[in-house]
């Protein structure tokens, strides 16, 4: 069923700093850490570009934290496709329980709705027919949270910028666009769009765009006026939470920042980067395990024919019965002795680290801070 996009156009004063963050996915620690790093204050404007919730263990905490921020700060929250699931559940659309049950049953305690139910002491649903009782309880006991979710807009337009979770095909007649297509718009950068205003999107983790190197930093396409800022928070084992910082909503200057909580180490030896690396992404993640060695496995990626060692916990059998890997790479980072690195995994075959938002392997010795 077509639902028109809800568009808001707040007045944001020139020179007031705007911070845009997308795809928090219930990671309260990362949201608080990023805002602290940016010294977020009541003088700033915070725009949350969708997918505040779901898939993270503190989704309800994020919801309440954002609602509390709104009391003394200027905060605009947009609806992402994951937030939309909570919205349509609370609306009780016909057939929604049967449609959403497989998703909620898969997320379980990582679902905002089920986190609310657990807090109430409501029995954990066991089947779709249990969901109407949960809905009634949530609407009764959580009217403020429900109102927040039910009234999330889809697009924010202000100054020289348009903010939308998934993407838009054009920048005029925004109210005529289909709401869900604005929220779930896969591979937006691959669609060839260009705009006069800056269009700021999340939804599609930026690491999915490069077939060779995993880089989680925001992608800023100056010529096309598109900023894609989803750093894979929660969804990727090496994910980060990104912010786009806009000094003036009427200007063209952009800055970026990010946050993760990986421990910092110092590289004790130099390392040269490798060439022709592979970035295995979720859309093509089937692998074959050829051998096991301690805390790593040696895999073959059938599509590319490439082989590599990966941390053992990256590889598992999914619901389709096939063996998959989390997003993974064989890239060796360029490292100088003394470089500070974020340690993602320490294995018997080297360290999987991040440097400047890029994930890769470091085979030298490290020293913990």
């Amino acid at each position: 069923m077509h639902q028109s996009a809800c568009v808001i156009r707040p007045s944001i004063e020139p020179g007031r700093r705007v911070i845009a963050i997308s795809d928090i996915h219930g990671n309260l620690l990362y949201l608080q850490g990023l805002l602290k790093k940016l010294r977020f204050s009541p003088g700033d404007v915070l725009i949350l570009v969708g997918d505040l919730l779901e898939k993270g263990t503190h989704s309800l905490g994020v919801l309440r934290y954002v609602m509390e921020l709104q009391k003394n700060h200027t905060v605009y929250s947009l609806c992402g496709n994951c937030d939309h699931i909570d919205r349509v559940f609370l609306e009780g659309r016909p057939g929604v329980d049967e449609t959403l049950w497989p998703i909620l049953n898969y997320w379980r305690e990582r679902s905002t709705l089920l986190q609310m139910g657990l807090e109430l002491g409501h029995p954990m649903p066991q089947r779709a027919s249990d969901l109407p009782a949960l809905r009634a309880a949530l609407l009764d006991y959580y009217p403020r949270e429900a109102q927040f979710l039910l009234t999330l807009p889809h697009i924010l337009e202000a100054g020289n910028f348009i903010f939308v979770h998934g993407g838009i095909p054009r920048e005029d007649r925004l109210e005529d666009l289909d709401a869900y297509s604005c929220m779930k718009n896969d591979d937006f950068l691959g669609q060839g769009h260009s705009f006069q205003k800056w269009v700021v999107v999340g939804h599609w983790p930026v690491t999915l765009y490069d077939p060779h190197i995993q880089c989680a930093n925001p992608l800023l396409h100056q010529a096309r006026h598109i900023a894609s800022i989803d750093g894979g928070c929660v969804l990727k084992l090496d994910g980060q939470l990104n912010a786009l910082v806009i000094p003036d909503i009427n200007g063209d200057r952009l800055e970026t920042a990010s946050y993760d909580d990986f421990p910092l180490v110092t590289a004790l030896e130099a390392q040269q980067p490798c060439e022709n690396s592979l970035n295995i992404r979720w859309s093509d993640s089937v692998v074959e395990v050829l051998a096991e060695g301690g805390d790593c496995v040696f895999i073959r990626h059938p599509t590319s024919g490439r082989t590599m060692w990966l941390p053992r916990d990256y590889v598992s059998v999914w619901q389709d019965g096939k063996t998959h890997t989390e997003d993974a790479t064989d890239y060796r980072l360029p490292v100088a002795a003394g470089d500070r690195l974020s340690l993602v995994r320490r294995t018997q075959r080297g360290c999987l680290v991040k440097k400047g938002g890029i994930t890769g392997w470091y085979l030298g010795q490290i020293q913990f801070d």
Side-chain angles (χ1 to χ4, degrees), residues 265-270 335 341 346 351 362-367:
V265 298
T266 300
L268 301 181
E269 306 169 60
V335 176
L341 308 171
R346 189 178 193 182
C351 294
Y362 175 64
L363 305 182
Q365 297 297 311
I366 60 172
Q367 177 179 296

Short mmCIF file of all heavy atoms in Angstrom, two decimals, residues 265-270 335 341 346 351 362-367:
data_model
loop_
_atom_site.label_atom_id
_atom_site.label_comp_id
_atom_site.label_asym_id
_atom_site.label_seq_id
_atom_site.Cartn_x
_atom_site.Cartn_y
_atom_site.Cartn_z
N VAL A 265 46.07 -0.04 20.30
CA VAL A 265 47.39 -0.65 20.45
C VAL A 265 48.38 0.15 19.60
O VAL A 265 47.98 0.90 18.70
CB VAL A 265 47.40 -2.14 20.03
CG1 VAL A 265 46.47 -2.95 20.91
CG2 VAL A 265 47.01 -2.29 18.55
N THR A 266 49.65 -0.05 19.90
CA THR A 266 50.72 0.60 19.13
C THR A 266 51.46 -0.44 18.30
O THR A 266 51.85 -1.50 18.82
CB THR A 266 51.72 1.31 20.06
OG1 THR A 266 51.02 2.31 20.82
CG2 THR A 266 52.83 1.97 19.26
N ALA A 267 51.61 -0.17 17.01
CA ALA A 267 52.37 -1.06 16.13
C ALA A 267 53.87 -0.87 16.40
O ALA A 267 54.36 0.26 16.43
CB ALA A 267 52.05 -0.76 14.67
N LEU A 268 54.59 -1.98 16.58
CA LEU A 268 56.02 -1.92 16.87
C LEU A 268 56.88 -2.13 15.63
O LEU A 268 58.09 -1.90 15.68
CB LEU A 268 56.38 -2.96 17.94
CG LEU A 268 55.64 -2.81 19.28
CD1 LEU A 268 56.09 -3.89 20.25
CD2 LEU A 268 55.86 -1.42 19.86
N GLU A 269 56.27 -2.55 14.53
CA GLU A 269 57.00 -2.81 13.29
C GLU A 269 56.25 -2.20 12.11
O GLU A 269 55.02 -2.08 12.14
CB GLU A 269 57.16 -4.31 13.07
CG GLU A 269 57.78 -5.07 14.23
CD GLU A 269 57.66 -6.56 14.04
OE1 GLU A 269 58.18 -7.09 13.04
OE2 GLU A 269 57.01 -7.22 14.88
N ALA A 270 57.00 -1.85 11.08
CA ALA A 270 56.39 -1.34 9.86
C ALA A 270 55.84 -2.50 9.02
O ALA A 270 56.31 -3.64 9.12
CB ALA A 270 57.40 -0.54 9.05
N VAL A 335 51.34 0.19 7.52
CA VAL A 335 51.54 0.55 8.93
C VAL A 335 52.98 0.99 9.12
O VAL A 335 53.92 0.35 8.60
CB VAL A 335 51.22 -0.65 9.85
CG1 VAL A 335 51.53 -0.30 11.31
CG2 VAL A 335 49.76 -1.06 9.71
N LEU A 341 46.62 1.77 16.39
CA LEU A 341 45.66 0.93 15.69
C LEU A 341 44.54 0.53 16.64
O LEU A 341 44.77 0.36 17.83
CB LEU A 341 46.33 -0.33 15.13
CG LEU A 341 47.59 -0.14 14.29
CD1 LEU A 341 48.25 -1.49 14.01
CD2 LEU A 341 47.27 0.59 13.00
N ARG A 346 42.53 -10.28 17.83
CA ARG A 346 43.91 -10.77 17.89
C ARG A 346 43.86 -12.27 17.72
O ARG A 346 43.22 -12.97 18.51
CB ARG A 346 44.56 -10.40 19.21
CG ARG A 346 46.06 -10.68 19.23
CD ARG A 346 46.69 -10.25 20.55
NE ARG A 346 48.14 -10.25 20.47
CZ ARG A 346 48.94 -9.95 21.48
NH1 ARG A 346 48.41 -9.63 22.67
NH2 ARG A 346 50.26 -9.96 21.33
N CYS A 351 46.80 -9.81 13.66
CA CYS A 351 45.78 -8.97 14.26
C CYS A 351 44.91 -8.33 13.18
O CYS A 351 45.43 -7.78 12.21
CB CYS A 351 46.42 -7.87 15.10
SG CYS A 351 47.30 -8.48 16.56
N TYR A 362 47.27 -6.82 10.37
CA TYR A 362 48.61 -6.39 10.74
C TYR A 362 49.33 -7.59 11.31
O TYR A 362 48.85 -8.24 12.26
CB TYR A 362 48.56 -5.26 11.78
CG TYR A 362 49.91 -4.86 12.30
CD1 TYR A 362 50.86 -4.29 11.44
CD2 TYR A 362 50.26 -5.04 13.63
CE1 TYR A 362 52.11 -3.92 11.92
CE2 TYR A 362 51.49 -4.67 14.12
CZ TYR A 362 52.42 -4.13 13.24
OH TYR A 362 53.67 -3.76 13.71
N LEU A 363 50.49 -7.90 10.74
CA LEU A 363 51.20 -9.13 11.10
C LEU A 363 52.39 -8.88 12.03
O LEU A 363 53.10 -9.82 12.38
CB LEU A 363 51.66 -9.84 9.83
CG LEU A 363 50.54 -10.15 8.82
CD1 LEU A 363 51.11 -10.91 7.62
CD2 LEU A 363 49.40 -10.91 9.46
N GLY A 364 52.62 -7.63 12.40
CA GLY A 364 53.74 -7.32 13.28
C GLY A 364 53.37 -7.40 14.76
O GLY A 364 52.26 -7.79 15.13
N GLN A 365 54.32 -7.01 15.59
CA GLN A 365 54.11 -7.03 17.03
C GLN A 365 53.36 -5.76 17.47
O GLN A 365 53.51 -4.69 16.88
CB GLN A 365 55.45 -7.10 17.75
CG GLN A 365 56.23 -8.38 17.47
CD GLN A 365 55.50 -9.62 17.94
OE1 GLN A 365 55.03 -9.67 19.08
NE2 GLN A 365 55.40 -10.62 17.09
N ILE A 366 52.54 -5.92 18.51
CA ILE A 366 51.78 -4.80 19.04
C ILE A 366 52.06 -4.61 20.51
O ILE A 366 52.52 -5.52 21.20
CB ILE A 366 50.25 -4.98 18.83
CG1 ILE A 366 49.78 -6.25 19.55
CG2 ILE A 366 49.90 -5.02 17.36
CD1 ILE A 366 48.25 -6.40 19.58
N GLN A 367 51.76 -3.41 20.97
CA GLN A 367 51.88 -3.09 22.40
C GLN A 367 50.59 -2.44 22.84
O GLN A 367 50.13 -1.46 22.23
CB GLN A 367 53.05 -2.14 22.64
CG GLN A 367 53.21 -1.70 24.08
CD GLN A 367 54.41 -0.78 24.25
OE1 GLN A 367 55.55 -1.18 24.03
NE2 GLN A 367 54.15 0.47 24.62
#
